[in-house]
């Protein structure tokens, strides 16, 4: 009933390209505004939905919300945005979900490359699952989706995954930037950024963190330094203001 009543709302957090200081990318996030309980934190309901299977319905709902937003922006003849959206490991029990997502994308007239599907390390929990995901990543590209690995570095198998999976981008977990003043942390970051794959630095909150990233070849930055996740309409207004200032 909460899905039908649109209590789940699309929020967007900007990703700023360091080289140009422009924003043509964002991450889609969900917020639940419940009429009785108020704002419910994602950490309170996402794990529950993962367990009971409702996460697949929520993911599909959010995917369509992203398509609806992009359709409106494309119709306004604005610069094309690329939006990334998380998908649950539950989907890989039946990878045919990609065909449904592709049909929705086509229905809204969304161009190839405008949507990036984000995977986390939790999808790679056994050999059988790894084989399914590998096939799914190949199919994602065939259907016009980009694919990225989220929270890179938060687990223990990240480097091995990069060897095996043809992802378009990695998002460096905020843990890398908590002690940015230390040379060891800087050396590790520089090495990761030079992996010849698009890199997004996540969780950037301070000028010190940004100054260091400007000395590297990091592609994009996401975090509170630029903006918190914003309701879709507020994100649009933020985008216009950000580019007008630049």
């Amino acid at each position: 009933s909460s899905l039908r009543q649109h209590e789940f709302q699309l929020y967007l957090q900007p990703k700023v390209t360091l080289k140009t200081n422009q924003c043509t990318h964002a991450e889609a996030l969900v917020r639940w505004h419940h009429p009785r309980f108020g704002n419910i934190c994602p950490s309170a309901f996402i794990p529950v939905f993962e367990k009971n299977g409702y996460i697949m319905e929520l993911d599909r709902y959010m995917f369509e919300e992203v398509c609806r937003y992009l359709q409106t922006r494309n119709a306004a003849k604005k610069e094309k945005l690329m939006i990334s959206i998380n998908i649950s490991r539950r989907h890989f029990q039946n990878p045919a979900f990609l065909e449904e997502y592709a049909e929705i994308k086509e229905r809204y007239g969304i161009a190839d490359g405008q949507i990036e599907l984000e995977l986390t390390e939790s999808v790679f929990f056994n050999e059988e699952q790894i084989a399914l995901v590998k096939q799914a990543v190949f199919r994602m590209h065939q259907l016009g989706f980009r694919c990225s690995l989220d929270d890179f570095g938060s687990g223990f198998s990240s480097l091995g995954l990069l060897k095996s999976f043809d992802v378009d981008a990695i998002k460096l977990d905020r843990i890398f930037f908590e002690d940015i003043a230390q040379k060891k942390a800087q050396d590790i970051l520089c090495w990761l950024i030079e992996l010849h794959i698009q890199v997004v630095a996540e969780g950037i909150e301070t000028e010190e963190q940004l100054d260091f990233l400007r000395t590297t070849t990091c592609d994009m930055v996401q975090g509170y330094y630029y903006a918190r996740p914003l309701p879709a309409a507020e994100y649009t207004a933020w985008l216009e203001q950000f580019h007008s200032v630049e």
Side-chain angles (χ1 to χ4, degrees):
S1 62
S2 293
L3 287 173
R4 290 195 300 272
Q5 294 164 23
H6 291 273
E7 293 170 12
F8 296 97
Q9 295 185 8
L10 171 66
Y11 276 55
L12 295 165
Q13 187 172 30
K15 299 179 187 178
V16 176
T17 302
L18 277 179
K19 186 179 294 185
T20 62
N21 204 38
Q22 295 290 298
C23 181
T24 57
H25 298 70
E27 179 181 6
L29 300 161
V30 62
R31 297 292 184 265
W32 189 358
H33 300 302
H34 195 281
R36 179 179 174 187
F37 302 113
N39 295 333
I40 304 176
C41 179
S43 62
F45 64 84
I46 294 294
V48 178
F49 290 177
E50 286 277 4
K51 289 181 180 179
N52 62 28
Y54 288 153
I55 191 66
M56 292 186 285
E57 293 181 55
L58 179 61
D59 280 358
R60 184 191 179 283
Y61 170 93
M62 290 303 298
F63 180 84
E64 189 156 1
E65 289 295 291
V66 165
C67 289
R68 188 175 288 115
Y69 177 82
L70 287 172
Q71 182 188 54
T72 299
R73 186 165 181 85
N74 291 345
K77 301 188 185 304
K78 299 291 185 179
E79 183 178 6
K80 276 188 165 52
L81 283 175
M82 191 277 284
I83 295 180
S84 59
I85 183 169
N86 285 281
I87 53 174
S88 167
R89 73 182 190 186
R90 281 270 193 160
H91 288 288
F92 294 97
Q93 296 171 2
N94 180 19
F97 82 93
L98 287 169
E99 311 299 327
E100 180 184 16
Y101 275 32
E103 187 278 325
I104 296 171
K105 178 172 74 77
E106 292 299 318
R107 180 163 20 107
Y108 282 90
I110 308 305
D112 288 351
Q114 276 198 277
I115 296 179
E116 180 176 270
L117 303 179
E118 288 192 2
L119 313 179
T120 62
E121 284 188 13
S122 64
V123 303
F124 309 100
F125 66 92
N126 62 40
E127 290 298 324
E128 181 181 357
Q129 184 84 351
I130 286 174
L132 286 173
V133 175
K134 197 168 186 176
Q135 294 173 10
V137 170
F138 177 76
R139 186 61 178 148
M140 285 175 197
H141 289 136
Q142 284 186 320
L143 294 171
F145 296 111
R146 284 171 50 90
C147 176
S148 65
L149 185 57
D150 195 14
D151 298 331
F152 184 86
S154 60
F156 300 101
S157 57
S158 300
L159 292 176
L161 295 177
L162 284 186
K163 177 177 66 70
S164 303
F165 291 87
D166 184 24
V167 295
D168 299 292
I170 59 172
K171 294 182 68 178
L172 297 180
D173 189 78
R174 65 177 62 243
I175 193 173
F176 285 111
F177 306 101
E178 292 174 354
D179 53 358
I180 195 66
Q182 295 185 19
K183 186 177 186 305
K184 184 176 181 180
Q186 294 178 2
D187 289 343
I188 291 172
L189 277 167
C190 286
W191 179 78
L192 288 171
I193 290 168
E194 293 296 331
L195 287 175
H196 303 293
I197 189 170
Q198 189 178 74
V199 173
V200 181
E202 193 173 25
I204 301 306
E205 299 180 358
T206 69
E207 188 76 38
E208 181 184 26
Q209 293 170 334
L210 193 63
D211 285 344
F212 168 73
L213 288 169
R214 286 192 177 117
T215 69
T216 74
T217 56
C218 180
D219 298 289
M220 284 183 283
V221 169
Q222 177 182 351
Y224 286 7
Y225 181 86
Y226 285 106
R228 294 172 177 267
L230 301 166
E234 291 184 26
Y235 169 77
T236 302
W238 178 93
L239 200 60
E240 299 297 331
Q241 183 179 17
F242 181 76
H243 285 160
S244 67
V245 170
E246 295 304 317

